[in-house]
Amino acid sequence: MYRNLNIFRSYSTSWESVIGVEIHAQIKTTTKLFSNAPNSFASLPNTLVSLMDCSYPGSLPSLNTRCVSLAIKTGIALNCKVNKKSYFERKHYFFPDLPSGYQITQQSIPLLINGHLTITMPDYEKTIRIQQIKLEQDSGKTLSDIDRDLSMIDLNRAGTGLMEIVTEPDLSSSNEVAIFIKNVIGILQTVGSCDCNMDQGSLRCDVNVSVKRKGGKDGTRCEIKNLNSIKFITKAIEFEVQRQIKIIEENEIVTQETRFYDASKDITYFLRSKENFVDYKYFFEPDLLPLEISENEINSLKNRLPELPQLKRERFILQYKLNNFEANLLVEDNFYSNFFEQCLGLKRCPTKIANWIINILFRLLPNRRECTLTPFQFCFLFDLYENKKITIDQVKFVIKLIIEGNKEPIEDIVENFNSQSNYQNLNFFCEEVISNYPEQVAKFKSGNINIINFLVGKAVKK
């Protein structure tokens, strides 16, 4: 009932949403924050655990200074003030995957405060204030989907360094949140402080959502926990905004609570109440000295920052004559901006290459980490197309072959493709037609046999 978007549109003129974001970014280091245990993904359970990570009596934390440096570089890139003296504290709570019964974090005086990031929307710009960035250790994982009667504990992640980036509630739509997170991801990747692989859990988000009548007082906020894709973040916010508006319109009260987003049902559901104050019994970590950073260290890290996405965006527009849309898309991910400039190093037209990357590579490469296509191969296909020796559909087919693991020289792949009029090529084009025309395919499946002529015609044109 909450998914009636027409209802939401009618509300949107008289309601405002107020949104704050917490981004939990795992710091990209080879070892953990307070131990020398390896920091790696997809290892066998409980194989990357030190005595400190599982809280053996007598084990002591030893601060990973690389984590501190990367956090400071991130903070500088997000226009934060570096606290020259910050403190670690213990946050006490019970959870099975937290062996010590407390998390080492920064509460009263975090490492970085008072930052901001300006985002560019289609019709306006908006500056989002960043309240703080604090260093803390991640917990382990509780796995409940292996055995129906048991919960399994994996402590490989326990002790991994985290940056918690907390905004003020300055965001007012799911689109703004999506753009903000994409911009933060671009900065983290550029700085090298996080790989931002949301599907692997190295970047997770919590969002705090409330609604109010236009010009009215802020409403009661609800927190949606552990969102691990931008698509899920936007959908969770949209549902939650509708849910809260509906409650208020029916003269009921929104209660402060933690909720979880169920992607399979596209809803948020109650997880636990936040109405009662939780006393985490914070106190300063007795086994760690205050974290002191000198002005020279701050300046040294600032001088070593690479070109940040905002500056790169402006350079792409001025130097390569790209429009705002093209420049924004390319700098959202370091992989694509680097791929673009490597292609230009091979003396190709910037605007045409940008167009190809956006319209071809973006669509064929859902997971850029697994890309085996090189800029040389991409430009080789571009030249063939420009010289009318290959069609755009053939370009896509060859790129797909390379991405799927074909390691032959690009010249041989194209030669074999041109010498064959085979089932594999035909199958690719048919699959593309089926993907591009879902409505016509649905009509055919429901019994409209004549629609096949339309689909065959589209395949023949390819």
Side-chain angles (χ1 to χ4, degrees):
M1 96 184 126
Y2 298 119
R3 297 308 296 166
N4 188 331
L5 295 180
N6 291 325
I7 291 177
F8 177 63
R9 291 191 186 101
S10 69
Y11 285 143
S12 63
T13 57
S14 57
W15 291 88
E16 295 177 340
S17 51
V18 180
I19 306 166
V21 176
E22 296 177 13
I23 298 175
H24 303 268
Q26 287 186 355
I27 304 174
K28 190 178 177 182
T29 53
T30 55
T31 56
K32 297 182 182 180
L33 181 58
F34 296 118
S35 79
N36 61 359
N39 185 19
S40 179
F41 178 78
S43 297
L44 290 173
N46 298 310
T47 57
L48 307 177
V49 186
S50 72
L51 297 179
M52 173 65 197
D53 301 328
C54 53
S55 290
Y56 264 57
S59 59
L60 295 173
S62 176
L63 180 61
N64 185 338
T65 56
R66 174 68 176 162
C67 288
V68 177
S69 298
L70 289 173
I72 292 173
K73 289 174 76 173
T74 300
I76 294 171
L78 290 170
N79 304 294
C80 291
K81 174 191 172 184
V82 182
N83 274 327
K84 293 181 181 176
K85 192 171 187 177
S86 60
Y87 297 85
F88 289 103
E89 291 152 272
R90 292 184 180 182
K91 176 183 179 181
H92 292 83
Y93 63 95
F94 171 77
F95 217 72
D97 52 29
L98 191 68
S100 61
Y102 61 84
Q103 177 192 38
I104 301 178
T105 182
Q106 295 185 306
Q107 179 65 16
S108 56
I109 305 178
L111 179 61
L112 300 144
I113 57 172
N114 299 337
H116 66 269
L117 177 64
T118 299
I119 59 174
T120 302
M121 303 302 291
D123 302 320
Y124 61 92
E125 287 190 342
K126 188 172 186 178
T127 297
I128 311 303
R129 293 171 297 161
I130 295 170
Q131 181 189 105
Q132 62 182 17
I133 303 176
K134 56 186 179 183
L135 275 175
E136 60 186 23
Q137 59 181 174
D138 209 344
S139 62
K141 288 183 183 179
T142 300
L143 308 172
S144 303
D145 54 354
I146 297 175
D147 188 305
R148 60 182 296 178
D149 299 319
L150 298 172
S151 290
M152 307 293 186
I153 304 298
D154 180 9
L155 294 180
N156 279 350
R157 194 178 70 182
T160 298
L162 276 185
M163 294 177 289
E164 185 181 81
I165 304 169
V166 183
T167 76
E168 298 289 356
D170 292 341
L171 297 144
S172 54
S173 72
S174 60
N175 287 338
E176 285 184 2
V177 172
I179 295 299
F180 174 77
I181 293 173
K182 286 180 180 179
N183 286 2
V184 171
I185 286 173
I187 287 172
L188 296 177
Q189 290 177 334
T190 300
V191 169
S193 57
C194 179
D195 59 25
C196 301
N197 294 328
M198 298 184 81
D199 55 331
Q200 294 182 358
S202 62
L203 189 133
R204 313 184 294 275
C205 296
D206 303 338
V207 292
N208 292 285
V209 181
S210 66
V211 298
K212 64 178 181 177
R213 296 188 187 274
K214 281 204 169 178
K217 294 182 179 179
D218 288 355
T220 301
R221 64 184 175 89
C222 293
E223 183 181 31
I224 310 170
K225 298 286 287 184
N226 290 330
L227 297 161
N228 63 353
S229 84
I230 292 175
K231 177 182 176 181
F232 293 165
I233 291 167
T234 56
K235 283 181 170 290
I237 291 171
E238 288 165 7
F239 176 87
E240 185 60 22
V241 167
Q242 293 179 60
R243 186 189 73 87
Q244 292 185 24
I245 291 174
K246 188 176 191 313
I247 289 172
I248 299 171
E249 286 284 332
E250 294 177 351
N251 295 317
E252 297 178 5
I253 298 174
V254 176
T255 57
Q256 187 174 358
E257 60 194 29
T258 300
R259 300 180 69 84
F260 189 79
Y261 176 68
D262 185 336
S264 64
K265 297 179 181 177
D266 196 13
I267 63 170
T268 66
Y269 62 84
F270 175 83
L271 199 61
R272 58 181 175 266
S273 173
K274 296 190 76 171
E275 290 186 304
N276 297 322
F277 174 73
V278 178
D279 184 5
Y280 290 112
K281 294 182 171 58
Y282 286 100
F283 64 78
F284 290 115
E285 170 57 64
D287 294 326
L288 288 168
L289 293 170
L291 179 55
E292 298 188 22
I293 309 295
S294 70
E295 190 68 32
N296 286 340
E297 289 175 296
I298 295 171
N299 289 333
S300 175
L301 291 169
K302 186 175 183 178
N303 292 334
R304 298 208 303 270
L305 280 177
E307 182 183 36
L308 296 173
Q310 180 60 39
L311 295 176
K312 185 178 288 187
R313 183 183 297 110
E314 293 170 1
R315 180 169 64 81
F316 278 14
I317 292 170
L318 291 173
Q319 183 177 347
Y320 301 130
K321 310 303 178 188
L322 303 186
N323 59 41
N324 282 327
F325 174 77
E326 293 167 336
N328 279 329
L329 285 178
L330 288 176
V331 302
E332 276 179 1
D333 191 308
N334 257 0
F335 170 82
Y336 292 113
S337 60
N338 291 339
F339 194 95
F340 169 70
E341 293 211 278
Q342 288 169 9
C343 288
L344 300 192
L346 299 172
K347 310 298 182 186
R348 300 306 189 277
C349 172
T351 53
K352 289 184 177 181
I353 288 295
N355 183 273
W356 263 45
I357 291 174
I358 292 167
N359 291 296
I360 297 177
L361 208 54
F362 276 24
R363 298 181 182 183
L364 292 178
L365 198 60
N367 188 346
R368 48 112 181 141
R369 294 193 307 276
E370 299 174 2
C371 180
T372 52
L373 179 74
T374 67
F376 170 79
Q377 292 171 326
F378 193 71
C379 290
F380 183 85
L381 295 172
F382 173 81
D383 292 342
L384 290 178
Y385 175 77
E386 287 286 290
N387 294 321
K388 296 182 170 50
K389 294 182 179 179
I390 191 171
T391 69
I392 197 68
D393 289 307
Q394 290 171 329
V395 167
K396 293 176 183 177
F397 179 72
V398 173
I399 289 176
K400 189 176 180 183
L401 287 178
I402 294 171
I403 292 172
E404 290 176 348
N406 192 319
K407 296 182 180 179
E408 296 179 67
I410 183 68
E411 299 87 350
D412 293 345
I413 297 175
V414 173
E415 184 179 347
N416 292 337
F417 178 87
N418 286 330
S419 66
Q420 296 173 0
S421 177
N422 60 19
Y423 171 80
Q424 188 180 23
N425 300 355
L426 180 61
N427 189 52
F428 172 79
F429 297 137
C430 290
E431 285 180 353
E432 194 170 60
V433 168
I434 290 170
S435 175
N436 290 342
Y437 299 96
E439 290 184 13
Q440 288 78 4
V441 171
K443 288 179 181 178
F444 176 77
K445 289 181 176 179
S446 64
N448 186 351
I449 300 176
N450 292 333
I451 201 75
I452 193 66
N453 295 324
F454 170 84
L455 298 170
V456 170
K458 292 296 181 182
V460 169
K461 286 183 180 179
K462 291 180 174 292

